[in-house]
Amino acid sequence: MSLVKYEILNKVAELQSFTKAADAMALTQSAVSHAITNLESEFGFPLVNRNRAGITLTTEGETMLLAIRKVLQENEKVHQEAASLLGLAKGTIKIGIFKSVSTKWLPEIIRLMEKNYPEIQIQLKEGDYLEIEQWLLSGEIDCGFINITHSSQFHIISLKKDRLLCVVSNQSVLYHQKTVSFEDLEKEPFIMPTYGGYHDIKQLFEEHGIQPDIRFELMDESAILSMVTHHLGISILPEMLLDSIPQELRAIPFQVDSYRSIGLATRYHLSPAAKKFAETTQAWLQDSDK
Protein backbone atom coordinates (compact mmCIF):
# COMPACT_ATOMS: atom_id res chain seq x y z
CA MET A 1 0.00 0.00 0.00
CA SER A 2 2.87 2.39 0.75
CA LEU A 3 4.07 2.24 -2.86
CA VAL A 4 0.62 3.32 -4.02
CA LYS A 5 0.72 6.23 -1.60
CA TYR A 6 4.22 7.09 -2.84
CA GLU A 7 2.92 7.11 -6.42
CA ILE A 8 0.07 9.39 -5.38
CA LEU A 9 2.41 11.86 -3.67
CA ASN A 10 4.67 11.85 -6.73
CA LYS A 11 1.72 12.60 -9.02
CA VAL A 12 0.44 15.36 -6.71
CA ALA A 13 3.93 16.92 -6.72
CA GLU A 14 4.07 16.81 -10.53
CA LEU A 15 0.60 18.30 -11.07
CA GLN A 16 0.33 20.47 -7.91
CA SER A 17 -3.33 19.56 -7.61
CA PHE A 18 -5.34 16.86 -5.84
CA THR A 19 -7.98 17.01 -8.58
CA LYS A 20 -5.55 16.62 -11.50
CA ALA A 21 -3.68 13.85 -9.70
CA ALA A 22 -6.96 12.04 -9.08
CA ASP A 23 -7.94 12.32 -12.74
CA ALA A 24 -4.51 11.11 -13.90
CA MET A 25 -4.63 8.08 -11.60
CA ALA A 26 -8.34 7.24 -12.05
CA LEU A 27 -9.02 7.87 -8.36
CA THR A 28 -11.39 10.12 -6.48
CA GLN A 29 -10.07 13.38 -5.06
CA SER A 30 -10.97 12.17 -1.56
CA ALA A 31 -8.89 9.00 -2.10
CA VAL A 32 -5.87 11.09 -3.12
CA SER A 33 -6.31 13.44 -0.15
CA HIS A 34 -6.78 10.47 2.20
CA ALA A 35 -3.58 8.79 0.95
CA ILE A 36 -1.54 11.96 1.50
CA THR A 37 -3.03 12.40 4.98
CA ASN A 38 -2.11 8.82 5.83
CA LEU A 39 1.47 9.40 4.67
CA GLU A 40 1.72 12.56 6.75
CA SER A 41 0.45 10.63 9.78
CA GLU A 42 2.92 7.83 9.09
CA PHE A 43 5.89 10.19 8.75
CA GLY A 44 4.84 12.55 11.53
CA PHE A 45 5.02 15.82 9.59
CA PRO A 46 3.08 17.62 6.81
CA LEU A 47 4.08 16.88 3.22
CA VAL A 48 1.97 19.44 1.33
CA ASN A 49 0.75 22.96 1.82
CA ARG A 50 -2.96 23.23 1.05
CA ASN A 51 -4.21 26.69 0.10
CA ARG A 52 -6.39 28.50 -2.42
CA ALA A 53 -3.46 28.94 -4.79
CA GLY A 54 -3.07 25.17 -5.10
CA ILE A 55 -0.78 22.50 -3.72
CA THR A 56 2.91 22.88 -2.95
CA LEU A 57 5.26 20.55 -1.13
CA THR A 58 6.60 21.50 2.26
CA THR A 59 10.37 21.50 2.79
CA GLU A 60 9.99 18.09 4.42
CA GLY A 61 7.83 16.97 1.50
CA GLU A 62 10.51 17.97 -1.01
CA THR A 63 13.11 15.98 0.92
CA MET A 64 10.90 12.91 1.17
CA LEU A 65 9.92 13.12 -2.51
CA LEU A 66 13.54 12.60 -3.58
CA ALA A 67 13.73 9.43 -1.49
CA ILE A 68 10.28 8.28 -2.63
CA ARG A 69 11.18 8.68 -6.30
CA LYS A 70 14.23 6.48 -5.76
CA VAL A 71 11.99 3.81 -4.22
CA LEU A 72 9.55 4.03 -7.15
CA GLN A 73 12.40 3.83 -9.66
CA GLU A 74 13.85 0.76 -7.97
CA ASN A 75 10.41 -0.84 -7.84
CA GLU A 76 9.96 -0.23 -11.56
CA LYS A 77 13.44 -1.63 -12.18
CA VAL A 78 12.64 -4.81 -10.19
CA HIS A 79 9.58 -5.47 -12.34
CA GLN A 80 11.53 -4.78 -15.52
CA GLU A 81 14.32 -7.15 -14.43
CA ALA A 82 11.74 -9.86 -13.71
CA ALA A 83 10.22 -9.36 -17.16
CA SER A 84 13.69 -9.48 -18.69
CA LEU A 85 14.35 -12.88 -17.11
CA LEU A 86 11.19 -14.12 -18.79
CA GLY A 87 12.47 -12.86 -22.14
CA LEU A 88 10.19 -9.83 -22.15
CA ALA A 89 11.02 -6.14 -22.55
CA LYS A 90 8.42 -4.12 -20.70
CA GLY A 91 8.07 -1.18 -18.34
CA THR A 92 7.84 2.61 -18.40
CA ILE A 93 10.65 5.05 -19.14
CA LYS A 94 10.54 8.82 -18.70
CA ILE A 95 12.73 10.81 -21.06
CA GLY A 96 13.79 14.47 -20.97
CA ILE A 97 13.94 16.11 -24.39
CA PHE A 98 14.58 19.51 -25.97
CA LYS A 99 12.98 20.88 -29.13
CA SER A 100 15.40 19.92 -31.89
CA VAL A 101 15.65 16.34 -30.61
CA SER A 102 11.87 16.01 -30.27
CA THR A 103 11.43 17.36 -33.81
CA LYS A 104 14.22 15.57 -35.66
CA TRP A 105 14.93 12.33 -33.79
CA LEU A 106 12.14 11.22 -31.48
CA PRO A 107 9.42 10.29 -34.02
CA GLU A 108 11.62 7.65 -35.68
CA ILE A 109 13.18 6.43 -32.42
CA ILE A 110 9.75 6.01 -30.82
CA ARG A 111 8.47 4.22 -33.94
CA LEU A 112 11.34 1.72 -33.63
CA MET A 113 10.74 1.28 -29.91
CA GLU A 114 7.05 0.57 -30.48
CA LYS A 115 7.90 -1.90 -33.24
CA ASN A 116 10.60 -3.79 -31.35
CA TYR A 117 9.45 -3.37 -27.74
CA PRO A 118 5.66 -2.82 -27.75
CA GLU A 119 5.40 -3.47 -24.00
CA ILE A 120 7.66 -0.50 -23.13
CA GLN A 121 5.76 2.71 -22.50
CA ILE A 122 7.55 6.01 -23.19
CA GLN A 123 6.76 9.28 -21.43
CA LEU A 124 8.32 12.54 -22.65
CA LYS A 125 9.05 15.72 -20.73
CA GLU A 126 10.30 18.74 -22.69
CA GLY A 127 12.61 21.37 -21.22
CA ASP A 128 15.98 23.04 -21.65
CA TYR A 129 19.39 21.55 -20.82
CA LEU A 130 19.38 22.68 -17.20
CA GLU A 131 15.83 21.49 -16.52
CA ILE A 132 16.60 18.07 -17.99
CA GLU A 133 19.70 17.70 -15.81
CA GLN A 134 17.70 18.72 -12.73
CA TRP A 135 14.91 16.27 -13.57
CA LEU A 136 17.46 13.50 -13.91
CA LEU A 137 19.09 14.32 -10.59
CA SER A 138 15.73 14.54 -8.82
CA GLY A 139 14.52 11.25 -10.27
CA GLU A 140 11.70 12.72 -12.38
CA ILE A 141 13.11 11.13 -15.54
CA ASP A 142 15.18 8.04 -16.33
CA CYS A 143 17.34 9.62 -19.03
CA GLY A 144 17.51 12.84 -20.99
CA PHE A 145 19.07 14.46 -24.04
CA ILE A 146 21.45 17.28 -23.10
CA ASN A 147 24.26 19.40 -24.45
CA ILE A 148 27.15 17.32 -23.17
CA THR A 149 28.77 18.38 -19.91
CA HIS A 150 31.24 16.49 -17.80
CA SER A 151 29.56 15.27 -14.64
CA SER A 152 30.18 12.49 -12.15
CA GLN A 153 26.49 12.54 -11.24
CA PHE A 154 25.28 10.68 -14.31
CA HIS A 155 26.58 8.71 -17.26
CA ILE A 156 26.59 10.40 -20.69
CA ILE A 157 26.38 8.56 -24.01
CA SER A 158 27.82 10.75 -26.77
CA LEU A 159 25.45 10.89 -29.77
CA LYS A 160 26.21 13.73 -32.21
CA LYS A 161 28.36 16.78 -32.86
CA ASP A 162 25.92 19.34 -34.25
CA ARG A 163 27.61 22.16 -36.16
CA LEU A 164 26.74 25.75 -35.16
CA LEU A 165 26.05 28.11 -38.08
CA CYS A 166 25.60 31.86 -38.43
CA VAL A 167 22.12 32.70 -39.75
CA VAL A 168 21.77 35.95 -41.73
CA SER A 169 19.17 37.59 -43.99
CA ASN A 170 19.74 38.70 -47.58
CA GLN A 171 20.18 42.28 -46.33
CA SER A 172 23.08 41.38 -44.06
CA VAL A 173 26.61 42.49 -44.99
CA LEU A 174 27.62 38.86 -44.31
CA TYR A 175 25.13 37.29 -46.73
CA HIS A 176 27.58 36.61 -49.61
CA GLN A 177 30.46 35.39 -47.46
CA LYS A 178 31.48 31.72 -47.68
CA THR A 179 32.50 31.66 -44.04
CA VAL A 180 32.09 33.96 -41.04
CA SER A 181 34.68 34.93 -38.46
CA PHE A 182 33.71 35.47 -34.85
CA GLU A 183 34.75 39.11 -35.20
CA ASP A 184 32.14 39.46 -37.98
CA LEU A 185 29.44 38.88 -35.36
CA GLU A 186 30.16 42.31 -33.88
CA LYS A 187 29.21 44.07 -37.13
CA GLU A 188 25.42 43.67 -36.79
CA PRO A 189 22.78 43.39 -34.05
CA PHE A 190 22.72 39.86 -32.60
CA ILE A 191 19.73 37.78 -31.54
CA MET A 192 20.87 35.54 -28.69
CA PRO A 193 19.33 32.09 -28.26
CA THR A 194 18.74 31.69 -24.55
CA TYR A 195 18.27 28.52 -22.50
CA GLY A 196 19.33 27.09 -19.18
CA GLY A 197 22.41 24.99 -18.53
CA TYR A 198 25.60 24.91 -20.57
CA HIS A 199 25.34 27.72 -23.14
CA ASP A 200 27.56 26.85 -26.10
CA ILE A 201 27.15 30.21 -27.88
CA LYS A 202 28.06 32.33 -24.85
CA GLN A 203 31.00 29.98 -24.32
CA LEU A 204 32.17 30.65 -27.88
CA PHE A 205 31.99 34.40 -27.32
CA GLU A 206 34.01 34.13 -24.13
CA GLU A 207 36.65 31.91 -25.77
CA HIS A 208 37.13 34.34 -28.67
CA GLY A 209 36.73 37.58 -26.73
CA ILE A 210 33.61 38.61 -28.67
CA GLN A 211 31.11 41.17 -27.36
CA PRO A 212 28.19 41.23 -29.80
CA ASP A 213 25.48 43.87 -29.82
CA ILE A 214 22.70 41.71 -28.37
CA ARG A 215 19.38 43.14 -29.48
CA PHE A 216 17.04 40.38 -28.27
CA GLU A 217 17.29 37.16 -26.26
CA LEU A 218 14.81 34.47 -27.32
CA MET A 219 14.36 30.79 -26.48
CA ASP A 220 12.18 29.69 -29.40
CA GLU A 221 14.21 28.95 -32.53
CA SER A 222 11.31 29.74 -34.89
CA ALA A 223 10.99 33.18 -33.30
CA ILE A 224 14.71 33.76 -33.81
CA LEU A 225 14.44 32.80 -37.50
CA SER A 226 11.48 35.15 -37.88
CA MET A 227 13.49 38.03 -36.41
CA VAL A 228 16.39 37.33 -38.77
CA THR A 229 13.99 37.04 -41.73
CA HIS A 230 12.68 40.52 -40.90
CA HIS A 231 16.26 41.86 -40.95
CA LEU A 232 16.35 42.62 -37.21
CA GLY A 233 19.70 40.97 -36.61
CA ILE A 234 21.82 37.86 -37.12
CA SER A 235 22.03 34.77 -34.94
CA ILE A 236 23.67 31.38 -34.38
CA LEU A 237 21.68 28.14 -34.47
CA PRO A 238 22.48 24.41 -34.65
CA GLU A 239 22.56 22.82 -38.10
CA MET A 240 19.88 20.30 -37.04
CA LEU A 241 17.32 23.11 -37.07
CA LEU A 242 18.31 24.68 -40.37
CA ASP A 243 17.44 22.15 -43.07
CA SER A 244 14.36 24.12 -44.20
CA ILE A 245 14.99 27.81 -43.52
CA PRO A 246 13.31 30.58 -45.58
CA GLN A 247 14.88 31.27 -48.99
CA GLU A 248 15.92 34.78 -47.99
CA LEU A 249 18.14 33.42 -45.22
CA ARG A 250 21.57 31.78 -45.33
CA ALA A 251 23.22 29.56 -42.74
CA ILE A 252 26.95 30.23 -43.05
CA PRO A 253 29.69 28.11 -41.42
CA PHE A 254 32.36 29.68 -39.26
CA GLN A 255 35.99 29.86 -40.32
CA VAL A 256 36.72 27.64 -37.35
CA ASP A 257 34.06 24.92 -37.10
CA SER A 258 32.13 25.06 -33.85
CA TYR A 259 29.72 22.51 -32.46
CA ARG A 260 27.31 21.62 -29.73
CA SER A 261 27.69 18.02 -28.58
CA ILE A 262 24.43 16.18 -27.93
CA GLY A 263 24.40 13.26 -25.54
CA LEU A 264 21.98 11.03 -23.68
CA ALA A 265 22.43 11.46 -19.93
CA THR A 266 21.41 8.52 -17.77
CA ARG A 267 21.70 7.27 -14.23
CA TYR A 268 24.59 4.86 -13.75
CA HIS A 269 22.27 1.92 -13.05
CA LEU A 270 19.78 1.86 -15.91
CA SER A 271 16.59 -0.18 -15.93
CA PRO A 272 16.27 -2.79 -18.72
CA ALA A 273 13.70 -0.62 -20.53
CA ALA A 274 15.95 2.45 -20.40
CA LYS A 275 18.84 0.34 -21.72
CA LYS A 276 16.69 -0.67 -24.69
CA PHE A 277 15.91 3.00 -25.40
CA ALA A 278 19.59 3.99 -25.22
CA GLU A 279 20.61 1.11 -27.50
CA THR A 280 17.83 1.92 -30.00
CA THR A 281 18.79 5.61 -30.06
CA GLN A 282 22.48 4.86 -30.69
CA ALA A 283 21.73 2.27 -33.38
CA TRP A 284 19.28 4.54 -35.25
CA LEU A 285 21.70 7.47 -35.25
CA GLN A 286 24.51 5.26 -36.59
CA ASP A 287 22.32 3.84 -39.34
CA SER A 288 20.65 7.09 -40.36
CA ASP A 289 23.67 9.39 -39.95
CA LYS A 290 21.41 12.16 -38.62
Side-chain angles (χ1 to χ4, degrees):
M1 178 60 185
S2 288
L3 281 177
V4 174
K5 288 187 284 189
Y6 289 174
E7 290 169 355
I8 291 173
L9 179 63
N10 186 43
K11 187 59 66 175
V12 168
E14 287 180 355
L15 300 176
Q16 295 188 337
S17 166
F18 285 147
T19 303
K20 291 180 181 178
D23 291 342
M25 303 187 75
L27 298 171
T28 65
Q29 183 173 338
S30 61
V32 171
S33 180
H34 184 66
I36 299 300
T37 300
N38 283 347
L39 269 184
E40 291 176 327
S41 177
E42 181 180 330
F43 292 148
F45 46 76
L47 297 170
V48 299
N49 297 308
R50 302 163 173 83
N51 53 53
R52 293 180 180 177
I55 303 298
T56 58
L57 292 184
T58 63
T59 301
E60 294 82 3
E62 293 280 2
T63 301
M64 291 303 300
L65 183 63
L66 292 174
I68 284 170
R69 281 177 172 159
K70 290 180 181 178
V71 172
L72 293 174
Q73 288 165 358
E74 289 303 313
N75 181 63
E76 172 67 17
K77 186 177 178 182
V78 166
H79 285 85
Q80 290 184 22
E81 291 287 1
S84 180
L85 291 173
L86 293 172
L88 303 173
K90 62 188 301 183
T92 299
I93 48 175
K94 299 178 180 179
I95 304 163
I97 57 173
F98 54 86
K99 184 175 179 179
S100 50
V101 164
S102 63
T103 302
K104 302 295 183 180
W105 292 357
L106 260 295
E108 279 299 315
I109 294 172
I110 291 175
R111 184 188 64 80
L112 286 173
M113 287 291 295
E114 290 181 344
K115 175 184 176 182
N116 297 326
Y117 311 108
E119 296 299 316
I120 294 179
Q121 296 183 350
I122 296 175
Q123 297 178 3
L124 303 178
K125 189 167 185 176
E126 191 170 41
D128 60 34
Y129 303 143
L130 181 58
E131 287 174 326
I132 292 170
E133 291 181 22
Q134 290 173 336
W135 294 334
L136 188 61
L137 291 172
S138 67
E140 294 182 58
I141 58 176
D142 298 292
C143 55
F145 294 91
I146 63 169
N147 193 3
I148 289 179
T149 57
H150 299 284
S151 172
S152 60
Q153 296 175 300
F154 35 72
H155 176 61
I156 299 177
I157 302 169
S158 180
L159 297 175
K160 179 182 177 65
K161 291 179 70 176
D162 188 19
R163 191 167 56 155
L164 296 173
L165 302 176
C166 181
V167 185
V168 304
S169 77
N170 55 13
Q171 292 188 13
S172 168
V173 297
L174 307 177
Y175 185 78
H176 295 288
Q177 295 186 192
K178 292 183 178 180
T179 61
V180 172
S181 70
F182 292 106
E183 289 75 17
D184 286 335
L185 299 176
E186 296 179 323
K187 295 179 179 178
E188 299 187 53
F190 190 81
I191 301 168
M192 175 69 79
T194 178
Y195 35 75
Y198 177 77
H199 200 306
D200 31 40
I201 297 173
K202 289 183 178 179
Q203 183 69 24
L204 282 176
F205 291 161
E206 291 175 5
E207 290 175 358
H208 295 274
I210 303 303
Q211 294 183 331
D213 174 19
I214 298 175
R215 187 171 186 181
F216 304 114
E217 295 193 24
L218 298 171
M219 180 176 291
D220 185 78
E221 291 92 349
S222 59
I224 293 172
L225 287 174
S226 179
M227 291 289 183
V228 177
T229 302
H230 287 81
H231 319 300
L232 299 176
I234 62 175
S235 191
I236 298 175
L237 288 173
E239 192 168 17
M240 274 177 66
L241 295 167
L242 299 174
D243 55 355
S244 58
I245 61 174
Q247 290 185 345
E248 60 267 38
L249 299 186
R250 280 194 66 208
I252 308 173
F254 288 97
Q255 291 175 0
V256 178
D257 275 345
S258 300
Y259 301 86
R260 68 169 177 175
S261 296
I262 301 173
L264 183 66
T266 72
R267 296 194 302 275
Y268 279 95
H269 302 290
L270 276 180
S271 67
K275 286 180 183 177
K276 295 297 185 186
F277 178 81
E279 291 167 0
T280 299
T281 298
Q282 287 180 287
W284 179 76
L285 283 169
Q286 290 170 0
D287 291 343
S288 62
D289 192 29
K290 292 291 183 181

